[in-house]
Amino acid sequence: MSPSRLQFQLDAQASGSRARATTFRTLHGTIQSPLFMPVGTQATVKAQTQETLHESGSQILLANTYHLLLRPGPEVFKKLGGIHKFMRWPGSVLTDSGGYQIFSLPHSREMTEKGAVFQSYVDGQRILLSPELSIQMQRAIGSDIMMVLDQCIPSTADEQAASAALQITRRWAARSLAAREDSPQSMFGIVQGALYPQLRRESAEGLMELDFDGFAIGGLAVGEEKNEREDVCELTAALLPSDRPRYLMGVGTPLDVLEAVHRGVDMFDCIIPTQVAKRGTAFTSRGIVELRRSVYKFSEDRLDPSCTCPVCATHTRAYLHHLTKTQEPLGWTLVGQHNIHFYHQLMREVRQSILEDRFLPLYKERREILPIEDVDHPVTPPKRTSTKVEHVGDYELCGDPPTIRHSATARIVCTTPQLDATTESQIIQHLRLPADSPPLVVWDTHLSAAATALGVILLYEAEAAKGPVRPLHLVSFSDDLSPLRLALHHKRHFPYLRHGAADTLIRRDVWESRYCVGLKWTLVQDNAGEGPAPDVVVESTREPLAGEGSS
Amino acid sequence: MSPSRLQFQLDAQASGSRARATTFRTLHGTIQSPLFMPVGTQATVKAQTQETLHESGSQILLANTYHLLLRPGPEVFKKLGGIHKFMRWPGSVLTDSGGYQIFSLPHSREMTEKGAVFQSYVDGQRILLSPELSIQMQRAIGSDIMMVLDQCIPSTADEQAASAALQITRRWAARSLAAREDSPQSMFGIVQGALYPQLRRESAEGLMELDFDGFAIGGLAVGEEKNEREDVCELTAALLPSDRPRYLMGVGTPLDVLEAVHRGVDMFDCIIPTQVAKRGTAFTSRGIVELRRSVYKFSEDRLDPSCTCPVCATHTRAYLHHLTKTQEPLGWTLVGQHNIHFYHQLMREVRQSILEDRFLPLYKERREILPIEDVDHPVTPPKRTSTKVEHVGDYELCGDPPTIRHSATARIVCTTPQLDATTESQIIQHLRLPADSPPLVVWDTHLSAAATALGVILLYEAEAAKGPVRPLHLVSFSDDLSPLRLALHHKRHFPYLRHGAADTLIRRDVWESRYCVGLKWTLVQDNAGEGPAPDVVVESTREPLAGEGSS
């Protein structure tokens, strides 16, 4: 391999651990690792300003090529001179290749040696995402570090599928590198191979024959167990050259990151710090704090007394609790700002401990504290009173016959798996297309206790029993799984949930029927991603959001 | 009345307008008016940080007693020491009484002399909001300025209902004041009375018997026409004592605020700047900019080149367009930040112009610009096909730019409010007589679209701003109000009609200026009566009567 464009330098290597501290240079500055990269999917990190991101010590932001390709589009980056100018970000930017998003699209994509064809959620256009298009787009974005287009598969894929994906990823890697042409941007290869050590080795060796400036470990954090992930991470990191950055994609919680640093990884990205901030989950030096708990209603404490971020310098837990309960955007902003600062602070402390060769004790101490929940205010298990009311989140079971009720508003959740006649006939009409038609996409805008979704599924099964029907993809959106979780505990009262689809959905975010081939149900939580565009939208009885009220 | 607790001081009074600049002190600092108060419904202004609110020059935030009563509840404010500490806000806070929210609840409330009973959206509890509870809650919140509990009714209520609401509001005002007890917080009374001048007077006089520190004009911006609002606002402001702040509740757009300053109001609040920011609507020195329009996709322009806010210093319209299109929270935050800054900047400029006695020209200039939409990138109007011509009587709107045409003869109605030089100098000469001379009578022989009449009125106002002038009585003759009615439907195309005089004339046959005492305009229809004999006759371009032809 030629020398990395990143002027990589190994600063220190911890004793009794594979943890290391490194320094390298991108087109926009000097980077010190280990480091965490906040995710700016659409050229903005959710609910954060570039100013606070910079002040918290963010060195590199990750941007998503897939989303930016669709909106604002390469032409805007070309006209405005790249993402740094576009979003006024003085630091570095890493772009992914778009592969992950394409391969997590539930359908509407076709894979060939050329690339993956998918349909734009913006204008419905069909687009071939090839290695060349991905790199062209990343060049237009003007990121400091580009990623090769890889074929992502579930980490639980079988060996044959994993091997095939690896082969194509190797060929696409070479094409990606060629497509860089004379750009001064750096490029990382991505090691695949699912959970098969031999495939991971084969993938790493293949990529190391090419002139990459760094290497990523892909295909993890996509369904495997925690210990499986850690084993494969450790094994793969050890295969990689010591003179290039190592990046574990899409990982993870502060604890996950700490574990991977220990296993020799330098770089991380994850949506977790801003995603969980929206529901009031904060990472602190005393473990995880769930700010929506009423135990914080009167708390004049700082969120994390050991934290140096502006949020902890300014606000009380009582105010953050209030903002979370009322779902005010400022709550999302402030808790997210703290969480990002917390990740960076953890990485800075880890780096300092490596430089001073005291990483191992720090690691052992922190791995105990990081995952603890609300250590100072442990959750008391709910008392079972004689009235037998049971709770999950903000929902409770009550009445006779039992219903599920939103505690604050007293609104009853729908538990009747029936569609109205109009929707039903609309779906039936759509299903009458030939079986090889593209799937009918049905959006269930509010999962709630899954009654409406089960209505759709039962209707499909009834129609499929009568004769050929086209495939159906049901997408349920939810920002709170509590009513469904509660209902699943009481199937005796809600017999429609004996179907089993909802159990699978809640565990894996996706359910596919084994009997009606072509019937699929996916879950989109907290607007975390976009489903395919709908042909039919079913309206469910929706509970009001807290704070919505009738003001 | 005892002296206001606010150490109120009148700094300046504009010439030719009721606009005024004042200074007063709350418990948290010195306030300069005219001023705009951002709305922090739940102890946070939507998607804004306290830091940027402070930096933009926010002096007072408005908080909603109704929402804060329900969540976090008075107990939290008592424990944490009031709203300033709770949300870490160094400036002043004004709390409303909760009345507006209760009375806009569509149902689930009962009204008695005691107060209003409503059901909490948080826990379903039934609560009696009495004047005493409202003030107790506002004392717990610890606002600088409290509002009395009033009974809000639609501005379009009938006289009997309006009178009843006014009586109860008067009694509640006394109870609210008594409930303040020894609190050092200021308290404002609220003038009600819907659109009935006599009721407004009765309400104001009743409240002025009590020791309020300022007065609000309530019951507007709730369904009435713009000119009705402006008339009632002007009339009510004139009834209020000149040594206390005057606050117009819930108003409005920048133009609405400017109009009300002109009519003697000092303080405003409205959710508009943050509410419209969510969908990408920005107020600028060049009018309204709709950032979601694709015309801004590539725009490297600042949002408002004349604006000094951090958003305009940093970001392009292209980035703000992208954030708006993708519905990213950062878009809401940034556009809202700019909008709030814009309101404050407008108020600062207005104040400065009052202090330097040049408010009237500023007012006239700004009222033209503020409501224009996307002036630099005008929306292409939908093509007017022959079926889309609009008619009133024998007149139609047509052409581009639109003109008003007599259908039968195709003759164009004059819509330029200009006098010929001879007439102008003739009138000016007549006006130079002493101010106690009998009124100069001007005959406008043909009202048409009131362009000539407005020419006379604007000339008089300009002369009156320069120094003392004698009264003027303008008499317009008309046998067909159709062209004026049609033009009044299209003020966007005929901006001289924004003046408002013509609206009043057509409704009441007479208009009298409230700023230029002595300026009067009357209408004589169908030769039904005769005006006083003229000193000057102005000739307007006269359309032929239908059937007269253009021979």
Side-chain angles (χ1 to χ4, degrees), chain B residues 338-545:
Chain B
H338 163 81
N339 280 348
I340 288 172
H341 184 98
F342 180 79
Y343 271 76
H344 292 327
Q345 187 58 32
L346 178 65
M347 292 294 98
R348 285 189 288 259
E349 289 172 19
V350 161
R351 179 178 162 84
Q352 197 56 36
S353 79
I354 297 169
L355 294 177
E356 295 170 7
D357 204 9
R358 47 173 183 77
F359 171 75
L360 210 56
L362 180 90
Y363 161 73
K364 285 180 177 165
E365 176 200 322
R366 294 303 174 85
R367 70 192 300 226
E368 298 305 319
I369 298 171
L370 286 173
I372 300 175
E373 287 182 22
D374 282 337
V375 61
D376 300 317
H377 301 278
V379 176
T380 318
K383 273 178 205 155
R384 296 192 179 264
T385 65
S386 54
T387 59
K388 284 194 184 169
V389 176
E390 296 196 39
H391 300 264
V392 173
D394 297 321
Y395 292 82
E396 61 190 14
L397 188 77
C398 55
D400 188 17
T403 56
I404 291 176
R405 197 170 70 168
H406 185 248
S407 308
T409 60
R411 293 268 286 270
I412 303 298
V413 170
C414 170
T415 50
T416 311
Q418 255 169 11
L419 304 177
D420 64 72
T422 318
T423 310
E424 195 172 295
S425 64
Q426 196 187 357
I427 292 178
I428 290 173
Q429 207 158 11
H430 276 288
L431 290 178
R432 295 246 166 87
L433 286 187
D436 57 358
S437 309
L440 169 68
V441 176
V442 179
W443 274 16
D444 168 34
T445 56
H446 207 71
L447 175 67
S448 193
T452 310
L454 261 296
V456 174
I457 288 169
L458 295 172
L459 175 64
Y460 187 90
E461 291 180 341
E463 291 301 304
K466 292 179 197 161
V469 285
R470 73 190 270 207
L472 186 148
H473 182 184
L474 173 63
V475 185
S476 289
F477 296 83
S478 173
D479 48 24
D480 187 356
L481 294 176
S482 304
L484 178 54
R485 283 190 205 284
L486 180 57
L488 285 171
H489 279 113
H490 299 277
K491 286 184 185 168
R492 193 162 61 93
H493 302 308
F494 310 110
Y496 70 93
L497 289 174
R498 287 191 188 127
H499 185 283
D503 289 290
T504 305
L505 185 81
I506 215 164
R507 240 180 18 252
R508 302 190 188 153
D509 290 351
V510 58
W511 168 83
E512 291 186 64
S513 171
R514 294 218 170 84
Y515 319 112
C516 298
V517 180
L519 174 58
K520 180 174 175 179
W521 184 18
T522 56
L523 175 64
V524 177
Q525 282 191 72
D526 300 315
N527 298 319
E530 269 167 347
D535 303 297
V536 179
V537 176
V538 291
E539 293 288 341
S540 44
T541 308
R542 177 175 167 283
E543 298 79 50
L545 297 172

Side-chain angles (χ1 to χ4, degrees), chain B residues 136 327 414:
Chain B
Q136 270 170 37
Q327 300 187 359
C414 170

Side-chain angles (χ1 to χ4, degrees), chain A residues 42-44 46 50 71-72 75 79 86 88 297-298 300 314 319 322-323 328 330 408 547 550-551, chain B residues 42-44 46 50 67 71-72 75 79 86 88 105 121-123 297-298 300 314 319 322-323 328:
Chain A
Q42 306 197 98
T44 163
K46 294 274 177 231
Q50 277 71 300
R71 204 159 41 191
E75 64 282 9
K79 169 76 165 43
F86 182 60
R88 297 287 190 264
K297 185 172 175 182
F298 295 98
E300 298 182 75
T314 309
Y319 187 55
H322 170 68
L323 294 177
E328 281 284 347
L330 183 60
S550 44
S551 61
Chain B
Q42 308 197 95
T44 164
K46 295 274 177 231
Q50 278 71 302
H67 292 287
R71 201 159 44 194
E75 63 281 9
K79 170 77 164 45
F86 182 61
R88 296 288 188 262
L105 284 181
Y121 63 76
V122 174
D123 59 8
K297 186 172 175 180
F298 296 99
E300 299 183 74
T314 310
Y319 187 55
H322 170 69
L323 294 178
E328 282 283 348

